Amino acid sequence: MQNAPQPGLPDWKSAGEYGDIVYETAEGIAKITINRPEVHNAFRPQTLFELQEAFNAARDDSEVGVVIFTGAGDRAFCSGGDQKIRGEDGYLGDDAVARQGIGRLNVLDLQVQIRRLPKPVVCMVAGYSIGGGNVLQVCCDLTIAADNAVFGQTGPRVGSFDGGYGSWLLAQTVGLKKAREIWYLCRQYSAAEALEMGMVNAVVPLERLEAETVSWAREMLAKSPLALRMVKGAINAVSDGAAGMQQFAGDATMLYYMSEEAQEGRDAFKEKRRPEFDRFPRRP
Ligand code: S0N
């Protein structure tokens, strides 16, 4: 049985059965929660497969305009890869691949998926946002942090590093010197420090975290979904290079498909006639 919603908060409804995560929707918002609080929401391969499925569901659901990504409980958003099942070449799940002793690094697929999802993804952080968990936070479009949030990278301390988004997107977010400090020293930073360095958008008291995050989501839901999609694509295209341009170009094609001019080309082909493009302006 689901609990009654807190006043002002959406009446979240479960939108799928998962083991390591919870996927809920309400009011045009999808909420995806890593549900492994016993390990500070560290992820294992199964967690990441489930997250990928939920993010895909949110992408495909035309009712959903904004995604909130969070962790269960108030002690951690995510503490990165589950070090207890880290093998010799990646993380070992409970499947045929793992039984051959072959590990996975499938958090990388999720990072790309969050960047490519054409809807804003808001990270809602209470407690720790550490290691690969913090890289996921950096990949999200916006971050709202509770005042108990703690941010940091641990790679060089625990024998790992993220040379992709975890390094250069972090540097783009907080500046080169600060990104080097974060990685080289593996310190932990308070929510206030994260706000000051531009790693998060807002810091609120823990008890107001969800209400504030939902209010940001509602504000975005009142905006043009296509405009948000194009702005997200444009901002990411600069840092994603050719892959980012490929996505942005795809969006341009989608918009062109939606025009009468493109539809005239399609209709003329189907009707076996010459297309009448003369009726469309040669725009300045
Ligand atoms: C978060 C920390 C600082 C919290 O300390 P605190 O409050 O003292 O709690 P603990 O007692 O330490 O933790 C409570 C329980 O949770 C377990 N736990 C915590 N974090 C993890 C974890 N990451 N994996 C497994 N278990 C975890 C604790 O063990 C404890 O349980 P018990 O009592 O039963 O032992 C502190 O917990 C901490 O420092 N955690 C580790 C943070 C860390 O180093 N994370 C990994 C960093 N590396 C990555 O994430 C890999 C990066 C990555 O994913 C990647 C990047 C690029 C390319 C590929 C990859 C890839 O690997 O996929």
Side-chain angles (χ1 to χ4, degrees):
M1 200 172 71
Q2 289 189 329
N3 294 329
Q6 288 177 43
L9 289 184
D11 185 8
W12 299 114
K13 300 274 188 256
S14 171
E17 289 300 314
Y18 296 93
D20 281 9
I21 71 162
V22 177
Y23 179 50
E24 298 160 295
T25 56
E27 293 181 24
I29 307 170
K31 184 165 82 155
I32 300 174
T33 307
I34 304 176
N35 193 21
R36 303 188 74 215
E38 67 283 2
V39 286
H40 283 328
N41 297 316
F43 52 75
R44 54 182 173 174
Q46 181 190 335
T47 322
L48 294 163
F49 288 129
E50 292 182 9
L51 286 170
Q52 283 182 267
E53 200 178 314
F55 273 98
N56 258 337
R59 179 178 183 147
D60 277 0
D61 186 341
S62 57
E63 297 286 312
V64 167
V66 176
V67 181
I68 294 175
F69 185 25
T70 192
D74 57 16
R75 296 191 60 209
F77 157 58
C78 178
S79 61
D82 187 331
Q83 298 306 297
K84 292 168 187 164
I85 51 135
R86 184 171 141 191
E88 288 171 13
D89 59 352
Y91 296 89
L92 296 166
D94 185 22
D95 53 29
V97 172
R99 282 192 284 278
Q100 296 170 57
I102 298 170
R104 293 180 197 269
L105 298 172
N106 55 334
V107 74
L108 300 172
D109 299 326
L110 179 65
Q111 295 171 2
V112 172
Q113 189 180 3
I114 291 171
R115 298 270 294 175
R116 292 217 144 200
L117 200 140
K119 303 173 182 181
V121 179
V122 188
C123 193
M124 182 168 84
V125 177
Y128 290 107
S129 175
I130 296 282
N134 195 48
V135 178
L136 289 173
Q137 178 276 123
V138 168
C139 287
C140 292
D141 297 288
L142 301 171
T143 299
I144 311 295
D147 51 9
N148 76 337
V150 176
F151 298 82
Q153 299 301 147
T154 60
R157 185 154 52 77
V158 297
S160 76
F161 70 95
D162 184 329
Y165 288 129
S167 297
W168 58 261
L169 184 59
L170 180 70
Q172 208 173 49
T173 307
V174 302
L176 283 166
K177 297 279 186 190
K178 201 71 194 179
R180 290 191 188 106
E181 174 192 313
I182 291 169
W183 274 102
Y184 295 177
L185 280 70
C186 298
R187 288 182 182 166
Q188 293 182 354
Y189 300 86
S190 69
E193 289 169 314
L195 182 65
E196 197 188 340
M197 67 175 94
M199 189 151 61
V200 305
N201 297 86
V203 178
V204 296
L206 176 60
E207 58 277 14
R208 289 204 45 244
L209 179 62
E210 185 157 324
E212 184 70 16
T213 309
V214 164
S215 124
W216 283 54
R218 286 179 178 144
E219 237 180 289
M220 287 185 279
L221 284 170
K223 308 294 184 297
S224 156
L226 268 178
L228 296 184
R229 178 189 184 110
M230 297 308 287
V231 171
K232 174 166 181 170
I235 291 173
N236 288 355
V238 172
S239 45
D240 280 348
M245 278 311 297
Q246 189 259 0
Q247 170 153 4
F248 202 53
D251 280 347
T253 306
M254 180 191 73
L255 290 173
Y256 178 57
Y257 272 5
M258 290 159 68
S259 73
E260 266 189 60
E261 186 178 323
Q263 289 163 18
E264 166 61 11
R266 174 203 61 195
D267 293 347
F269 175 80
K270 287 201 301 189
E271 293 160 17
K272 299 189 186 303
R273 59 171 172 82
R274 282 171 68 88
E276 292 169 15
F277 287 126
D278 285 354
R279 57 194 175 93
F280 300 102
R282 268 74 179 167
R283 293 178 190 281

